[in-house]
Amino acid sequence: MKIEFNVSVTLPLPIRHFYFASLVGSKRLINRTMASHYFSPEALDFLLFQVHDVLGLTHYPRYQDYDEASIRILLQSVKDFADKECFPFYKAMDEEPVRYHDGRIVVHEQL
C-alpha cells in the first residue's frame, strides 16, 4: 500500500525567513554580506510581539514603565551594538570554528 500526501502551506514572511534560516544554519542559502542581514528583524519582531506577546509583560509591576516604543528602542540599541562590535568577528569565527587540539578546546581569540 502506498499513501501519498501533497500539502501546500504558505507561511507568513517572518516565519518563512526564520524557518529557512534555521534550516540553513551557518551555510546560508543567500550570500549576504551586509551586517544588517545576519538575522531577520522581521522574524524577531513577529516572534516577540505576535507569538510571545512581549507587551504583556508591561502588566507586571516590574515592567510597567516600559511601552512598545521603549522596547523597540532597546532592541535597536542591541542591534546597533551587535552590528558594530560583534558582526566583524562572525566571518572569522565561521572560517575558524571552535576545535579540540592537543587536549585543549581552542576558540577564536575574540571570545
Side-chain angles (χ1 to χ4, degrees), residues 4-65:
E4 291 185 27
F5 293 98
N6 187 1
V7 178
S8 177
V9 177
T10 302
L11 299 172
L13 184 60
I15 295 176
R16 279 192 308 221
H17 186 84
F18 181 75
Y19 176 73
F20 288 118
S22 66
L23 284 178
V24 174
S26 62
K27 306 286 184 192
R28 303 206 175 165
L29 286 174
I30 300 171
N31 184 15
R32 296 179 178 176
T33 57
M34 298 298 295
S36 62
H37 295 302
Y38 61 94
F39 83 104
S40 170
E42 296 85 11
L44 180 63
D45 185 73
F46 174 77
L47 289 171
L48 288 176
F49 291 96
Q50 302 297 320
V51 175
H52 297 293
D53 186 29
V54 73
L55 293 177
L57 291 173
T58 60
H59 299 296
Y60 295 99
R62 181 176 184 141
Y63 303 104
Q64 68 186 2
D65 295 333

Side-chain angles (χ1 to χ4, degrees), residues 2 10-11 16 21 45 48 51 60-61 65 73 75 80-81 90 94 107 111:
K2 184 177 180 183
T10 302
L11 299 172
R16 279 192 308 221
D45 185 73
L48 288 176
V51 175
Y60 295 99
D65 295 333
I73 290 170
L75 292 173
D80 292 344
F81 173 78
Y90 286 171
D94 284 345
V107 298
L111 292 176

Side-chain angles (χ1 to χ4, degrees), residues 77-100:
S77 298
V78 171
K79 182 188 178 306
D80 292 344
F81 173 78
D83 288 347
K84 182 180 177 188
E85 301 297 329
C86 301
F87 185 76
F89 301 102
Y90 286 171
K91 184 174 181 182
M93 286 189 268
D94 284 345
E95 291 172 354
E96 187 180 332
V98 176
R99 65 189 182 283
Y100 186 77

